[in-house]
Each structure stands twice: as structure tokens, then as C-alpha cells.
Amino acid sequence: MDNNNWLTQLLMLGVGTTSLVAEKVKEVSDELVKDGKLNPDQAKEVMDDLVQKLKSEQGNFETTMQRQLRNLLQDIGVPRQSEMDELRGRIDRLERQVRDLENRLWR
């Protein structure tokens, strides 16, 4: 499974949900303006506030999802990139040591 693709799809779901909520609130505010329960300036202010809050929450959602995904990957034993890099370095050092020993034996 491509973890980056999965994360991207999950984040896009959050963006889509945010857009859907904004659309529905706009419909409700338009209806309230039409019914005379809210004036257009108030409706615009409410929409602007809501969109700002949704954008802020979307950022929090993304951060939370990334943290949870990182924890999940750690729980199931997937190594972090830094751990993989460290292991590659250790393997390279061991391979050099083996080559050095082999060269000493063949002299």
C-alpha cells in the first residue's frame, strides 16, 4: 500500500468535507436572507467566519491525521526513514569491513 497516496486521499476527504459543509452553510444563510431572518451583510460575516474556522480546523485535522498515521505505522512496526538510513549506513560499514577482511585473507 502506498502510504503517501493513502494519506493524500484521506486529506482530500477532509478538504471535500470542508467544502461540503461550507456549501450547506451557504445554502442555509441564503435561505435565511431570503426569508428576511438575516440581512446580507450578516450572512456574509457569518460565512466568512465559518470559512475561516473550517480552514483552521482543516489544518488541525491534517496535523492530527498525520500524527495518527505516524503512530499507526510505528505500532505495526514500519520503520521511520531515519531508522532506515541508519541501517543502510551500518550495512555499508559492515560490507566495507567484510571486503577489507577478504582482501587481507587473499594477500
Side-chain angles (χ1 to χ4, degrees), residues 43-101:
K44 181 181 179 339
E45 186 177 327
V46 167
M47 278 301 298
D48 290 345
D49 287 346
L50 179 68
V51 168
Q52 186 60 37
K53 286 179 184 176
L54 286 173
K55 285 180 182 178
S56 172
E57 289 301 316
Q58 180 180 340
N60 293 339
F61 173 77
E62 290 173 5
T63 301
T64 300
M65 290 309 299
Q66 287 174 348
R67 186 178 338 103
Q68 288 179 351
L69 180 59
R70 202 170 27 251
N71 291 341
L72 172 67
L73 292 174
Q74 184 178 5
D75 289 347
I76 63 174
V78 175
R80 292 182 308 226
Q81 185 63 45
S82 60
E83 294 170 323
M84 293 297 295
D85 293 342
E86 180 184 340
L87 289 173
R88 284 187 186 107
R90 291 174 65 186
I91 290 170
D92 289 344
R93 284 190 300 279
L94 289 170
E95 287 175 339
R96 268 192 308 267
Q97 289 174 352
V98 167
R99 275 194 308 271
D100 289 345
L101 289 171

